[in-house]
Amino acid sequence: MFRTALRTVLAHKARLLMTVLAVMLGVAFVSGTLVFTDTLGNAFQNQSAKSYKDVAVGVTSYDHRDSGEAGAEKSPPGVSQETIGKIEGLDGVASVTGRVNGFAGVADPAGKLIGNGWVNTGSNFAPGKDGKDASYAFTQGSGPAKDGEIALDKATATKGKYTVGEPVRVATNGPVKEYTLTGVFTTDDGQVNAGGSLVLFDTAVAQKLYLEPGFYSDLTITAAAGASESRILDQVKPLLPENAEAQTGERLASDQAAQIKKSLESLNQMLLAFAAIALFVGVFLISNTFTMLVAQRTRELALLRAVGASRRQVKRSVLAEAVVVGAIASTIGFVLGIGLAVALRSLMGLTGAKVPAGALVISPTAVGAAFGVGVLITLLAAWLPARRAAKIPPVAAMNSVHGVATTKSLVVRNSIGGALALLGSAGIVAGAAAGSDGRMLIGAGAFLAMVGIIVLIPLLSRPVIALVRPLLHRVFGVSGKLAGLNAVRNPRRTGATASALAIGLTLVTGLTVLGVTIGQAIDKSTTDNIKADYMVRMEGAGDLDQSALTALEKAPGVSAVSPQQSATLEVKGDFHYASAVTPGDIEKVINIASVSGSLDTLAQGGIAVAEDTAKSNGWKVGDTLSVTYSDKKKGELKVGATYKPNEFLSPVLISTELATAHEARPYIPEVWVKMDGGASDAHEQALVDSLGKNPAITVMDQQDIRNEFGGMINTMLNIMYGLLAMALIIAILGVVNTLAMSVFERQQEIGMLRAIGLDRAKVKRMIRLEAVVISLFGAVIGVGLGSFLAWAIGQTFKDEIPGYALVIPWDRIGLFLVLAGVVGVLAALWPARSAAKLNMLTAIKTE
């Protein structure tokens, strides 16, 4: 029986090739993803181990004010020079190097920022007694030795076309400043490898820029020969301030590698999603292929039964074919996956990220996953056809090969599908009614509904396609009529073929509807809430220096300026986040709907509170609140106004004057600016000039703001369109497979049609129209189910998004349907050509 299975596989090379392609694509993404992440993880781990090779203990400090912890006490800005002196005197310590870190953006000759914003960093050059810093290898010049000098990493210097001795404009949180380049270096720094830049300052300059004189952000401690790292660690810990922690170099290397690997998880998940979609859709293609092969071999299988083969042997024979196909597909897919991993690694290099050198890692997990998934998916898809094959009675050997499933045979299938679809739909509706707590219920309901619809698709195909048959007849004549009849001739086959497109379009339509709806809600919210012409912020979500606010206030043409400065207040033991704003100007840049009282009280030291916050705390206008500021000083504030909640403001508003009095370093993430006469190129340039043409500060108009907030949604949609492309590729294979088998089964019929006058062009048109009808049928099912899911999911978070209202993007849905039709046309090219080339006399004689 196994030899029979092998012969069968080789006898149907073309159709089984398409099955191999469907499995192969999914396996390639699974294996490629695993090999890619394993390779990168290993490379970064080796790099981390290398960079921490000589580090016995590393110390990292952090500022509570930067941690987002409300009401945090003032802590030292870092580790003091005095503490370093104590550590240097410990037994086993060979040396201690202090580092200072912060944001530093380098401008290219055109004034644009080099790098990716959040990975643009500044640090200090810390030479030892030999005048060298072991962390950096200089290829040109040397490190900075005084104020006004810097050194750059090689990649940044190359991008900016800077050479030693030239002036370089560098932006930190303060005003942009020009420095002289003294040296260019190479480094294994992870931020630089991620596509960022690194600027080295003299230590005193870096301390003044980022901390305070005499303080360091991080320490690197090396051990004397034979000294124990753990013993040094135990001695160092008691000497450190509360906001600093120490770890061994080995632990630091491991943590850094883990952090880098974690940052790759989103890419990993995206690629595995591609694989899951490919394999899920591929199940239907594989099942369809084996169903058709079994139907084609009805007489052959019945003959095997007649000569003594048992049902189990016949079933094993079909499953053996599936194992062979799965193994072949897995092997090819695994090889392609390795190629995909290499390509992804090269692509990262082309996008500016520096990937450390390292060998390709092919782990047993990747191999096992590739072959396990490929063979298991093929076996799973072939199980039902194998079961049907085993039920073929020996007497069928005397009947026609072309047995067609009757409507009666679909009764059980339709009953199960209907029950699943109803149960799933009920779950989706119930989840939508439950709000944010119903998302899991919607997920379960969506799965059941999708399975139910897929089971019901053969039943649905008859009435749905019947609606378009008259149109096909009127427009395309005999070819259209025959195409409509052929599309419903075998409902199971039509349903399995249409399912591939239905699944892909369900996912993509649902996410498109959600994305467009949320995008329009955000766009409307931006338009309704923002009066400002510009929003000014730092690259990489950093904070602006107070000097930037002062410069904007003095810029020509500015009529109103207000920062969105962060502050915290403690009232009766509860911490409340506040926005410190400029009284009088805030109403000109942000649309604040006052409920009671007056916002003018902010200028007198009062506070304004969002309506829901005031209600939940029992506050009302005129109440005096006892508050504790972030510096632990106490005071009393009077509630002067309440306002409707605004997503661009915190629940509490105070004046910038009040907040700054209690903040050693005001945190200003953004500034809103209103101009006389509105936005214009001249006004934008005036703001840029007032900020000293700082490359690290972005001036955004209202359209830029809308694009910023909608960017994540657009990225998500682009990923989903990639998934649609994957589903389309497999759907094309499925339609090709179906039509090829249909042409094979109808050779005699096609020969008769040709004999009575149907020319080749009309035969081709008939096959193409059949493919288009099947594809559009699947697309309509997917669009309908996807829109329903989008509505339900939207109901769970509509209260969290002001102005949320479901939007059906008819233009995109129309495009999806057009693409489905194109899929049908493309898929029909080969089968239609084969049908038209049939010799009519030979076809008529075919049994």
Side-chain angles (χ1 to χ4, degrees):
M1 294 301 293
F2 184 70
R3 285 197 299 271
T4 302
L6 286 177
R7 282 196 216 100
T8 304
V9 170
L10 296 175
H12 301 91
K13 301 181 184 70
R15 280 185 283 284
L16 289 172
L17 174 62
M18 289 181 281
T19 304
V20 167
L21 288 173
V23 181
M24 179 189 72
L25 288 171
V27 171
F29 274 104
V30 170
S31 57
T33 299
L34 295 175
V35 171
F36 173 68
T37 51
D38 287 345
T39 299
L40 249 64
N42 183 69
F44 280 119
Q45 188 168 2
N46 291 339
Q47 183 192 60
S48 298
K50 180 181 176 183
S51 60
Y52 285 101
K53 181 179 65 173
D54 298 323
V55 178
V57 174
V59 176
T60 303
S61 69
Y62 58 94
D63 192 332
H64 282 295
R65 294 168 297 177
D66 295 335
S67 67
E69 183 181 340
E73 295 184 13
K74 179 175 172 58
S75 56
V79 182
S80 66
Q81 186 65 50
E82 181 183 356
T83 301
I84 291 178
K86 293 178 181 178
I87 294 174
E88 287 176 332
L90 296 175
D91 289 339
V93 172
S95 66
V96 180
T97 303
R99 297 290 180 197
V100 184
N101 302 306
F103 171 81
V106 180
D108 64 16
K112 301 296 182 181
L113 184 69
I114 297 174
N116 297 326
W118 63 275
V119 286
N120 291 339
T121 55
S123 189
N124 63 305
F125 177 66
K129 294 179 181 179
D130 58 357
K132 296 180 180 180
D133 190 325
S135 297
Y136 310 106
F138 280 82
T139 58
Q140 298 177 38
S142 60
K146 60 182 179 180
D147 193 2
E149 295 181 345
I150 60 163
L152 292 176
D153 68 274
K154 187 176 180 180
T156 302
T158 301
K159 289 175 185 176
K161 299 179 181 178
Y162 292 121
T163 57
V164 172
E166 289 187 338
V168 180
R169 297 176 71 247
V170 179
T172 56
N173 285 40
V176 65
K177 187 177 176 182
E178 196 170 86
Y179 296 84
T180 300
L181 183 63
T182 63
V184 176
F185 58 87
T186 58
T187 177
D188 291 329
D189 187 276
Q191 301 283 57
V192 176
N193 286 330
S197 62
L198 178 60
V199 182
L200 294 182
F201 301 92
D202 175 64
T203 296
V205 174
Q207 289 174 332
K208 185 177 179 181
L209 284 171
Y210 301 124
L211 299 173
E212 293 178 13
F215 285 89
Y216 296 87
S217 307
D218 307 311
L219 302 181
T220 299
I221 303 169
T222 60
S228 167
E229 291 186 0
S230 58
R231 186 169 181 276
I232 294 174
L233 179 66
D234 292 338
Q235 294 179 86
V236 167
K237 281 184 175 179
L239 302 178
L240 300 177
E242 291 183 3
N243 64 323
E245 60 180 1
Q247 292 179 316
T248 62
E250 183 179 353
R251 176 65 184 275
L252 286 169
S254 176
D255 288 350
Q256 187 182 79
Q259 186 177 6
I260 293 170
K261 192 172 183 179
K262 187 176 180 181
S263 68
L264 296 171
E265 283 183 0
S266 58
L267 178 62
N268 188 30
Q269 290 169 359
M270 182 186 75
L271 292 174
L272 288 177
F274 273 72
I277 294 293
L279 290 169
F280 188 52
V281 176
V283 165
F284 297 94
L285 190 155
I286 300 163
S287 180
N288 209 12
T289 299
F290 277 94
T291 298
M292 289 187 288
L293 291 176
V294 167
Q296 179 187 346
R297 292 161 50 210
T298 300
R299 180 174 292 180
E300 175 190 329
L301 294 171
L303 206 54
L304 288 173
R305 291 291 314 284
V307 297
S310 66
R311 286 187 174 185
R312 182 175 294 181
Q313 284 178 311
V314 171
K315 185 177 179 180
R316 284 178 179 174
S317 172
V318 176
L319 291 178
E321 293 177 40
V323 170
V324 172
V325 172
I328 294 171
S330 298
T331 303
I332 299 172
F334 184 69
V335 173
L336 285 177
I338 294 174
L340 177 64
V342 173
L344 285 171
R345 185 169 174 174
S346 300
L347 182 62
M348 287 187 69
L350 292 174
T351 56
K354 294 182 181 178
V355 182
L360 198 67
V361 177
I362 302 175
S363 66
T365 302
V367 177
F371 284 87
V373 167
V375 174
L376 186 63
I377 287 292
T378 312
L379 274 173
L380 178 66
W383 184 78
L384 278 176
R387 189 167 174 268
R388 291 194 198 106
K391 289 183 177 181
I392 295 174
V395 73
M398 296 178 289
N399 296 331
S400 172
V401 174
H402 310 304
V404 179
T406 63
T407 303
K408 185 177 179 180
S409 69
L410 299 173
V411 171
V412 175
R413 174 191 179 113
N414 295 336
S415 300
I416 295 172
L420 288 173
L422 285 173
L423 186 62
S425 299
I428 292 170
V429 173
S436 59
D437 296 328
R439 289 168 191 164
M440 292 295 292
L441 188 57
I442 290 176
F447 177 76
L448 290 176
M450 189 176 290
V451 172
I453 292 293
I454 289 169
V455 173
L456 280 175
I457 276 182
L459 176 66
L460 295 172
S461 65
R462 289 183 179 273
V464 173
I465 295 176
L467 294 174
V468 299
R469 275 165 53 188
L471 178 63
L472 289 173
H473 188 192
R474 282 198 299 270
V475 177
F476 299 102
V478 175
S479 296
K481 182 178 181 179
L482 291 173
L485 291 171
N486 292 334
V488 293
R489 175 178 290 189
N490 192 324
R492 278 182 176 167
R493 185 184 303 163
T494 298
T497 305
S499 295
L501 271 173
I503 294 166
L505 278 171
T506 294
L507 295 173
V508 177
T509 300
L511 287 163
T512 297
V513 171
L514 276 176
V516 171
T517 300
I518 295 171
Q520 289 200 13
I522 291 173
D523 193 71
K524 184 176 184 300
S525 176
T526 303
T527 305
D528 291 348
N529 288 303
I530 298 176
K531 293 181 179 179
D533 296 311
Y534 297 101
M535 180 177 73
V536 180
R537 61 162 53 171
M538 286 288 289
E539 285 280 356
D543 61 308
L544 292 160
D545 188 75
Q546 187 74 30
S547 61
L549 176 60
T550 304
L552 290 170
E553 290 172 339
K554 296 177 180 179
V558 171
S559 60
V561 176
S562 179
Q564 159 68 294
Q565 183 174 324
S566 298
T568 55
L569 300 172
E570 181 184 350
V571 182
K572 294 183 180 179
D574 294 327
F575 287 100
H576 298 274
Y577 287 98
S579 291
V581 298
T582 303
D585 281 5
I586 186 61
E587 303 98 312
K588 297 176 183 178
V589 295
I590 300 291
N591 188 13
I592 306 177
S594 182
V595 177
S596 59
S598 173
L599 291 172
D600 293 340
T601 55
L602 291 174
Q604 285 79 52
I607 65 170
V609 184
E611 184 181 22
D612 53 353
T613 301
K615 190 177 293 184
S616 63
N617 287 279
W619 302 338
K620 59 183 182 298
V621 173
D623 287 353
T624 300
L625 308 179
S626 297
V627 304
T628 302
Y629 299 102
S630 57
D631 60 358
K632 296 303 179 182
K633 292 182 180 179
K634 299 183 183 296
E636 292 188 344
L637 294 176
K638 187 176 181 179
V639 178
T642 60
Y643 59 92
K644 289 190 178 296
N646 189 303
E647 61 182 293
F648 293 95
L649 296 169
S650 298
V652 176
L653 299 182
I654 61 175
S655 69
T656 52
E657 183 181 357
L658 181 63
T660 303
H662 298 281
E663 293 283 349
R665 180 182 131 211
Y667 184 81
I668 307 174
E670 60 210 23
V671 177
W672 302 94
V673 182
K674 184 75 174 175
M675 308 294 291
D676 288 325
S680 68
D681 292 342
H683 281 154
E684 184 173 339
Q685 190 60 49
L687 296 180
V688 171
D689 292 342
S690 70
L691 294 165
K693 297 182 179 178
N694 193 322
I697 298 180
T698 303
V699 178
M700 306 169 68
D701 60 21
Q702 287 207 7
Q703 186 58 51
D704 293 330
I705 296 168
R706 288 196 288 268
N707 294 341
E708 175 80 7
F709 289 118
M712 187 179 299
I713 295 170
N714 292 331
T715 299
M716 178 191 70
L717 287 178
N718 288 334
I719 292 172
M720 287 302 105
Y721 293 147
L723 294 180
L724 173 62
M726 179 61 64
L728 283 175
I729 292 171
I730 298 176
I732 289 173
L733 297 177
V735 179
V736 171
N737 217 0
T738 297
L739 293 175
M741 178 57 79
S742 179
V743 169
F744 175 82
E745 288 182 351
R746 287 155 36 205
Q747 286 186 65
Q748 189 178 56
E749 175 188 320
I750 292 170
M752 288 295 294
L753 290 171
R754 291 277 288 113
I756 61 177
L758 195 69
D759 59 27
R760 289 186 175 184
K762 288 180 179 178
V763 170
K764 286 183 179 180
R765 186 182 304 155
M766 175 184 71
I767 302 298
R768 288 175 189 146
L769 287 173
E770 182 181 345
V772 170
V773 167
I774 293 173
S775 298
L776 286 175
F777 168 61
V780 169
I781 296 292
V783 166
L785 184 56
S787 299
F788 177 48
L789 287 175
W791 165 81
I793 296 170
Q795 293 297 110
T796 65
F797 56 69
K798 66 177 183 178
D799 294 335
E800 302 169 18
I801 302 177
Y804 180 90
L806 186 69
V807 177
I808 303 296
W810 296 109
D811 55 340
R812 300 195 189 190
I813 287 176
L815 178 61
F816 295 157
L817 294 176
V818 170
L819 285 174
V822 171
V823 165
V825 172
L826 293 176
L829 291 176
W830 173 55
R833 187 168 177 269
S834 298
K837 290 175 68 177
L838 283 175
N839 182 291
M840 66 181 74
L841 295 177
T842 304
I844 290 171
K845 292 189 293 182
T846 301
E847 294 186 4

